[in-house]
């Protein structure tokens, strides 16, 4: 008995040491990623086909560089009107999509849960396409009443409805079936795609061209107006997500245990779903379909710092923002002076990573 008790105490001490090491690693990772995001933001500001010097503009903020030359005025216009809103939108959307993926994985306790894979992004896209195609006819009162907020709100509504249906179909008796969730996501995505196809069929040539580029995903159309429309929605969703880490940690032990720990499970689920729908919907509305950010970023960090959401949430937001800024820099420079849609770049990284996850966990999906 004494030997068994000694072994138990030794195991407990080892577990505590490991948890302490992971916590320290999590804090260090968050700090490193914060610096990495600053570097990525500077790179985004200084990269572009126009050749405008962001350093001259930044230097003028500190009174170092002159502001009266024609070259400076041109560079200033490029930086303020094109690169700065594009960089800020990239930070918001990257953080929003990555955190949405992490929230869904925590809520469903499933590593494959991602807004793009389970149909939430398709639902958001459908809401946005309704406004793009029918915003001046059928939904004219809606668009006139909400103005620039009509598109992100419609995308938010589509994402919220899709997530609610997905959760209702995949959950029975308080348990969410993994296979049912993925299959329901495929069905919902296919249905949303079918309705979107009908809308594309009736779209005008100009609308069809916009929809094609929008569907591939891009930050090229970033403006201060789009930031004003979608930015507050994404920012509020991220702010709410910051308070969900303890609840997500409790849910990893199971819903019954989480309830015994004092978590209001149903209220927590609704709050999480609304946050995911808001961040995903607003992001899709202004940037189109940018996939795989929500599954690549959380998994990379989970491999490094473990499953503690207290560190995973801020780290995911920081790395998601940096990842999208880097993908945007690649999309702008790899075929310069033309521009590759950013959704192609993220898919090129995310597709092989997703296959790697399936290969590592294929025994878990055996029927």
């Amino acid at each position: 008995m004494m030997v068994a008790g000694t072994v138990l105490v030794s195991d407990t001490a080892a577990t505590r040491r490991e948890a302490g090491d992971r916590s320290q690693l999590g804090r260090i990772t968050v700090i490193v990623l914060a610096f990495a995001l600053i570097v990525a933001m500077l790179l985004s500001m200084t990269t572009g086909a126009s050749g405008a010097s962001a350093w001259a503009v930044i230097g003028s903020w500190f009174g170092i560089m002159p502001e009266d030359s024609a070259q400076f005025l041109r560079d200033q216009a490029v930086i303020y009107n094109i690169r700065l809103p594009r960089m800020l939108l990239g930070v918001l959307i990257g953080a929003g999509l990555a955190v949405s993926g992490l929230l869904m994985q925590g809520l469903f306790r499933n590593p494959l849960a991602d807004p793009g894979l389970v149909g939430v992004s398709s639902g958001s896209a459908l809401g946005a396409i309704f406004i793009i195609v029918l915003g001046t006819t059928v939904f004219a009162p809606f668009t006139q009443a909400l103005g620039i907020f009509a598109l992100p709100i419609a995308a938010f509504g589509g994402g919220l409805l899709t997530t609610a249906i997905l959760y209702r179909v995949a959950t029975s008796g308080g348990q969410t079936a993994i296979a049912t969730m993925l299959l329901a996501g495929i069905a919902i995505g296919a249905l949303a795609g079918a309705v979107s196809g009908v809308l594309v069929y009736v779209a005008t040539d100009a609308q069809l061209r916009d929809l094609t580029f929008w569907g591939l995903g891009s930050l090229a159309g970033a403006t201060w107006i789009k930031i004003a429309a979608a930015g507050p929605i994404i920012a509020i969703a991220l702010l709410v997500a910051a308070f969900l880490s303890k609840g997500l940690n409790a849910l990893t032990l199971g819903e019954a245990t989480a309830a015994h720990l004092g978590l209001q499970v149903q209220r927590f689920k609704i709050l999480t779903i609304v946050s995911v729908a808001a961040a995903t919907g607003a992001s899709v509305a202004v940037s189109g379909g940018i996939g795989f950010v929500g599954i690549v970023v959380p998994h990379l960090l989970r491999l490094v710092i473990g499953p503690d959401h207290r560190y995973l949430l801020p780290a995911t937001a920081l790395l998601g923002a940096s990842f999208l800024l880097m993908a945007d820099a690649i999309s702008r420079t790899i075929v310069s002076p033309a521009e590759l849609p950013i959704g192609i770049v993220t898919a090129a990284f995310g597709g092989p990573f997703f296959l790697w996850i399936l290969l590592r966990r294929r025994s878990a999906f055996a029927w």
Side-chain angles (χ1 to χ4, degrees):
M1 293 293 291
M2 182 177 294
V3 173
T6 303
V7 171
L8 180 61
V9 171
S10 177
D11 289 346
T12 303
T15 302
R16 288 177 177 173
R17 281 198 301 273
E18 183 179 355
D21 293 342
R22 281 295 182 95
S23 297
Q24 185 176 7
L25 181 60
R27 286 191 288 269
I28 294 173
T29 302
V30 170
I31 295 171
V32 170
L33 289 176
F35 282 107
L37 177 58
I38 294 173
V39 173
M41 292 168 68
L42 288 174
L43 184 63
S44 178
M45 288 272 288
T46 55
T47 303
S50 67
S53 173
W55 297 114
V57 178
I58 295 172
S60 71
W61 296 346
F62 300 96
I64 300 174
M65 303 294 290
E67 303 180 8
D68 52 354
S69 68
Q71 178 69 29
F72 174 82
L73 295 176
R74 186 189 73 91
D75 292 353
Q76 188 180 46
V78 171
I79 299 302
Y80 281 146
N81 298 327
I82 298 177
R83 292 188 190 173
L84 190 56
R86 184 168 185 151
M87 181 268 288
L88 293 176
L89 199 64
V91 169
L92 286 169
I93 292 175
L97 291 177
V99 169
S100 294
L102 178 64
L103 292 180
M104 290 203 73
Q105 290 157 22
L107 179 65
F108 288 103
R109 301 194 295 281
N110 184 323
L112 297 182
D114 170 74
L117 293 175
V118 297
V120 179
S121 294
S122 298
S124 298
L126 179 59
I129 291 173
F130 265 115
I131 297 301
I132 293 173
V133 178
L134 304 176
T136 57
T137 55
V138 178
F139 294 107
F142 178 76
T143 54
Q144 290 171 359
L146 296 178
I148 61 173
F149 296 100
L151 192 62
I153 288 177
F156 165 66
L160 182 62
L161 180 62
T162 305
T163 310
I165 294 173
L166 179 71
Y167 182 78
R168 182 68 184 86
V169 171
T171 302
S172 177
Q175 299 295 321
T176 302
I178 295 173
T180 304
M181 183 198 69
L182 293 175
L183 292 174
I186 292 172
I188 292 171
L191 180 61
V195 178
S196 299
V198 173
L199 293 170
V200 169
Y201 183 78
V202 302
T204 64
D205 289 344
Q207 291 171 338
L208 189 59
R209 186 169 57 252
D210 292 341
L211 286 171
T212 300
F213 285 102
W214 177 81
L216 292 173
S218 176
L219 298 179
T223 62
W224 291 110
I225 293 177
K226 286 188 176 181
I227 291 178
I233 297 175
I234 301 174
I236 292 173
L238 290 173
L239 185 62
V240 172
F243 294 95
L244 301 179
S245 59
K246 291 184 179 179
L248 291 172
N249 283 344
L251 272 183
T252 60
L253 303 174
E255 293 186 10
T257 305
H260 284 302
L261 291 174
L263 181 69
Q264 299 289 331
V265 176
Q266 289 304 322
R267 185 183 303 173
F268 181 82
K269 287 178 180 177
I270 293 172
L271 190 60
T272 304
I273 288 173
V274 171
S275 299
V276 170
T280 304
S283 299
V284 169
V286 294
S287 67
I290 300 176
F292 291 105
V293 177
I295 194 166
V296 171
V297 174
H299 277 294
L300 278 176
L301 288 169
R302 200 176 280 113
L303 290 173
V304 175
I305 63 177
D308 191 340
H309 289 84
R310 291 177 302 168
Y311 306 106
L312 263 181
L313 268 168
T316 297
L318 293 168
L319 183 58
S322 300
F323 176 72
L324 200 64
L325 289 180
M326 291 297 97
D328 183 50
I330 293 173
S331 73
R332 281 188 284 163
T333 56
I334 194 169
V335 292
S336 180
E339 183 173 321
L340 198 66
I342 193 172
I344 296 176
V345 178
T346 58
F349 284 99
F353 188 81
F354 185 61
L355 288 174
W356 176 69
I357 292 175
L358 289 177
L359 288 173
R360 286 184 72 241
R361 300 180 59 88
R362 55 187 166 186
S363 60
F365 303 114
W367 285 37

